[in-house]
């Protein structure tokens, strides 16, 4: 009896078409100067907000005055939980605000690369009620440059985040804050 | 017997809903157009997407082996399933080993195709679909009607009613914001108590052994990162060669699907979390068979964006349930006959062959041409229903003789004028049942042309 693996692979071999070449990946001209303004516009369209580091404390105080649990890996914003001591991701269920680092941003679509290293605990950027990403790697024009500059397998988990969580599953009405964060702030340093 | 036309007729009974459905999906298509037109290299990215997928299909065995070797080296447990039954048993086996009785699941058309929920529920496992649209139809005990917007056939009042019954929301409340908030609270509890999470897979990267899952809600990530056991179920055609190719597909997917520049979350899973377990289930379930069909193998390039549904004049006015197949719309109509020709024989006819599906498809699948080819197979194998085959047989006889065609045209133009309505709008003329025939011109085009060409 062949295993399922052998069976499937044998069928693929018997049925696959003649070889078709893998295309070369071209490079596209991007206007690098426009990257930051473009990113700001696109992420704004997805309800993310770009601000300066000096405005971040005020932004948090004004928008989330009732926030109690703050997780932060950024010295400018002191957190009040010790992420290194978290044993079970369930302990993060009550996080109101997470301020984490993001590696770099992508101008064309507002995406920000965050790996397990920056997230500390994988679920943190998702379970928090509000998220702020502090980016020190600048902006690249498109996903082509983005994937060129990272090793997606460097850590066990990595994610492009392009806004607060959202849904339009009820009559296509946009609602921000589906299961993940209800807001996204972005700071470039 | 129920067929696409009769199920569509049921959907069409509610005029207001049909119009809303039609307009809403067209709106999504328009949003797609707007974004696509902002990318000057769009057509070349589509071509790249198509070419990469062609290369994948012609080397699928190599890429699968490479993918699995990498994934296993990463500490992932990989399983292979020949069909839906094996897939369901594998997933149940993993859950049983961990004594899991509650799982959360994010959107996966594959698990729909395999009827995984029913299988697990039969074994006493509670399955909670966590994508809002999926949760709505799960509570309503209905299949999805669209692959990206599963509950697009429902109005907010119906969802309000459903949530009132199941989640205890206020009676009569139908505000989407309010209902979504209620679902958020309800599902958060489920996320926090689930011992295993299942997701579908958008792309699997051969070079790195990882899987990529795209969502807007963040539900897949909430599930996977909280539960100790994560299971990713994928069709074997989802593998792509290299990480750099993700640039092409992530640029295509969000824009084509909902007219957004990228999905909010594009998650790359390579290794289990600390203390966790990660499984990938690779499923054939008819895909290798489709790979062997020269005329139809292109359908395996599909990235499940749903654009062909949003643009299809038939889908928009007949609703996803009229197809009675997990994947509805134009792509469903070329996948389903390969699975069960007899049951799905009418689906290739649920199309005007206008070609709009092929025009928007981000990986350039020749959808409308495949629909046409399936029609020929359906007809050759004698599955055509009488109501279609009688006029078609007549048309064949007439079209093959020019003189007869000219005469018949003239005769029809006269007959349409003098025939009683009952003759034209009778039960053998399905076309006439919901349509008025055009006003009859005095001259045929040929006559008009003969008279007017002198002036040209
Ligand atoms: S066939 Fe093309 S347009 Fe239709 S869902 Fe698949 S990728 Fe999208």
């Amino acid at each position: 009896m062949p295993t399922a693996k052998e069976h499937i692979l044998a069928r693929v071999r018997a049925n696959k078409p003649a070889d078709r070449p893998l295309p070369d990946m071209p490079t596209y001209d991007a206007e690098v100067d426009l990257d930051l303004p473009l990113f700001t516009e696109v992420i704004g369209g997805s309800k993310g907000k770009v601000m300066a580091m000096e405005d971040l404390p005020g932004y948090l105080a004004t928008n989330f005055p009732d926030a109690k649990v703050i997780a932060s890996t950024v010295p400018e914003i002191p957190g009040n939980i010790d992420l290194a001591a978290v044993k079970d991701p369930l302990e993060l269920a009550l996080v109101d605000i997470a301020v984490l680092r993001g590696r770099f941003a992508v101008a064309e679509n507002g995406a920000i690369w965050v790996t397990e290293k920056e997230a500390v605990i994988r679920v943190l950027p998702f379970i928090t009620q509000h998220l702020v990403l502090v980016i020190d790697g600048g902006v690249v024009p498109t996903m082509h440059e983005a994937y060129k500059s990272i090793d997606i397998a460097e850590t066990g988990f990595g994610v492009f985040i392009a806004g607060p969580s959202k849904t339009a599953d009820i009559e296509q009405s946009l609602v921000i804050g589906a299961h993940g964060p209800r807001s996204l702030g972005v700071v470039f340093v | 017997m129920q067929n696409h036309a009769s199920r569509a007729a049921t959907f069409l009974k509610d005029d207001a809903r049909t119009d809303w459905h039609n307009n809403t999906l067209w709106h999504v298509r328009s949003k797609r157009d707007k974004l696509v037109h902002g990318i000057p290299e769009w057509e070349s990215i589509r071509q790249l997407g198509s070419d990469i997928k062609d290369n994948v299909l012609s080397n699928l065995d190599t890429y699968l082996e490479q993918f699995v070797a990498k994934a296993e080296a990463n500490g992932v447990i990989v399983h292979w399933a020949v069909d839906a039954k094996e897939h369901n048993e594998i997933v149940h086996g993993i859950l049983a080993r961990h004594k899991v009785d509650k799982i959360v699941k994010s959107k996966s058309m594959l698990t729909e195709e395999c009827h995984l929920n029913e299988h697990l529920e039969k074994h006493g496992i509670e399955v909670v679909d966590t994508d809002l649209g999926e949760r709505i139809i799960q509570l309503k005990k209905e299949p999805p009607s669209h692959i990206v917007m599963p509950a697009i056939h429902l109005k907010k009042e119906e969802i309000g009613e459903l949530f009132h019954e199941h989640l205890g929301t206020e009676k009569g409340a139908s505000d989407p914001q309010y209902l979504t908030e209620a679902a958020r609270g309800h599902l958060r509890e489920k996320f926090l108590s689930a011992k295993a999470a299942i997701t579908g897979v958008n792309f699997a990267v051969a070079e790195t052994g990882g899987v990529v899952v795209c969502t807007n809600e963040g539900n897949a990530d909430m599930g996977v990162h909280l539960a100790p056991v994560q299971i990713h179920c994928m069709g074997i055609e989802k593998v792509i060669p290299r990480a750099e190719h993700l640039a092409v597909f992530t640029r295509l997917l969000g824009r084509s699907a909902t007219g957004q520049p990228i999905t909010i979350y594009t998650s790359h899973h390579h290794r289990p979390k600390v203390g966790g377990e990660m499984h990938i289930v690779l499923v054939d379930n008819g895909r290798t068979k489709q790979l062997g069909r020269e005329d139809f193998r292109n359908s395996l390039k599909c990235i499940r964006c749903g654009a062909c549904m949003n643009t299809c004049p038939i889908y928009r006015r007949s609703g996803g349930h009229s197809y009675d197949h997990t994947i509805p719309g134009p792509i469903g109509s070329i996948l389903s006959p390969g699975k069960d020709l007899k049951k799905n024989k009418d689906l290739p006819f649920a199309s005007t062959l206008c070609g709009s599906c092929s025009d928007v498809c981000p990986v350039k699948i020749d959808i409308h041409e495949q629909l046409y080819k399936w029609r020929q197979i359906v007809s050759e194998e004698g599955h055509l229903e009488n109501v279609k085959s009688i006029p078609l047989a007549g048309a064949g006889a007439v079209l093959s003789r020019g003189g007869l065609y000219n005469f018949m045209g003239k005769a029809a133009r006269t007959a349409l004028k003098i025939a009683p309505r009952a003759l034209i709008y009778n039960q053998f003329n399905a076309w006439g049942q919901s349509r008025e025939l055009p006003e009859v011109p005095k001259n045929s085009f040929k006559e008009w042309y003969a008279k007017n060409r002198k002036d040209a």
Side-chain angles (χ1 to χ4, degrees), chain A residues 15 20 153 156 158 167 169 179-180, chain B residues 55 133 184 217 268 270-271 288:
Chain A
N15 289 348
R20 298 280 296 269
T167 183
D169 273 348
H179 298 296
Chain B
N55 170 265
R184 178 183 170 106
E217 298 184 3
H268 306 62
H270 279 87
R271 287 181 281 280
T288 52

Side-chain angles (χ1 to χ4, degrees), chain A:
Chain A
M1 252 303 262
T3 62
K5 175 180 179 177
E6 288 159 0
H7 181 81
I8 293 169
L9 287 175
R11 287 191 55 121
V12 170
R13 281 182 202 114
N15 289 348
K16 69 178 182 178
D19 184 36
R20 298 280 296 269
L22 196 55
D24 290 330
M25 294 290 284
T27 48
Y28 300 100
D29 296 334
E31 298 178 53
V32 179
D33 294 351
L34 295 179
D35 286 349
L36 186 57
L38 181 56
F39 172 85
T40 307
E41 186 192 324
V42 175
I43 195 81
S46 308
K47 313 289 178 221
K49 188 175 161 38
V50 179
M51 70 198 89
M53 182 56 109
E54 64 211 45
D55 297 330
L56 181 57
Y59 163 84
L60 296 176
T62 320
N63 291 292
F64 319 115
D66 300 328
K68 287 189 189 66
V69 185
I70 298 172
S72 175
T73 57
V74 175
E76 286 87 342
I77 304 293
N80 56 15
I81 51 170
D82 179 7
L83 292 175
V86 172
K87 295 249 156 31
D88 186 328
L90 291 174
E91 293 169 39
L92 299 171
L94 295 177
V95 173
D96 293 306
I97 299 172
V99 184
L100 304 171
R101 293 204 178 274
R103 292 258 179 112
F104 65 92
V106 186
E108 67 159 330
N109 57 18
I112 299 162
W113 180 241
V114 178
T115 77
E116 191 166 15
K117 255 187 216 152
E118 292 82 40
V120 190
I121 298 139
R122 289 182 190 187
V123 81
L124 185 52
F126 304 94
I127 202 168
T128 179
Q129 297 290 334
H130 301 279
L131 177 64
V132 176
L133 292 173
V134 177
I135 299 167
D136 53 15
V139 188
V140 301
T142 73
M143 291 307 277
H144 300 290
E145 291 81 12
Y147 277 110
K148 253 179 231 155
S149 62
I150 57 177
D151 168 9
I152 57 169
E154 178 199 323
T155 58
F157 172 73
V159 57
F160 281 106
I161 298 178
S165 120
K166 68 170 186 182
T167 183
D169 273 348
I170 302 177
E171 281 199 5
Q172 279 296 292
S173 297
L174 177 67
V175 179
I176 301 294
H179 298 296
R182 301 168 188 273
S183 70
L184 174 68
V186 182
V187 176
F188 287 96
V189 289

Side-chain angles (χ1 to χ4, degrees), chain B residues 23-40:
Chain B
N23 292 334
T24 304
L25 288 162
W26 185 253
H27 175 68
V28 179
R29 151 89 213 246
S30 311
K31 281 203 301 186
R32 170 235 173 243
D33 291 351
K34 211 174 131 212
L35 277 205
V36 162
H37 294 152
I39 309 278

Side-chain angles (χ1 to χ4, degrees), chain B residues 244-303:
Chain B
E244 63 174 349
H245 299 137
L246 286 170
V248 172
F249 294 109
T250 53
R251 296 189 83 190
L252 291 170
L253 181 62
R255 291 183 174 99
S256 300
T258 48
Q260 55 185 103
I262 186 169
T263 49
I264 298 297
Y265 301 108
T266 305
S267 298
H268 306 62
H269 305 271
H270 279 87
R271 287 181 281 280
K273 64 181 97 50
V274 179
E277 215 174 272
M278 176 169 165
H279 296 260
I280 294 173
V281 189
L282 290 162
V283 185
D284 180 345
N285 204 33
R287 285 162 177 76
T288 52
K289 199 166 168 198
Q290 190 80 336
L291 187 64
R293 295 184 176 115
E294 199 186 331
D295 285 342
F296 303 112
R297 62 166 63 106
N298 266 348
S299 59
L300 294 169
K301 291 157 72 173
C302 175
I303 59 170

Side-chain angles (χ1 to χ4, degrees), chain B residues 147 302-308 331 361-363 365 367:
Chain B
I147 58 174
C302 175
I303 59 170
R304 302 281 190 267
C305 72
C308 56
I331 177 68
C361 177
V363 288
I365 300 173
I367 307 171

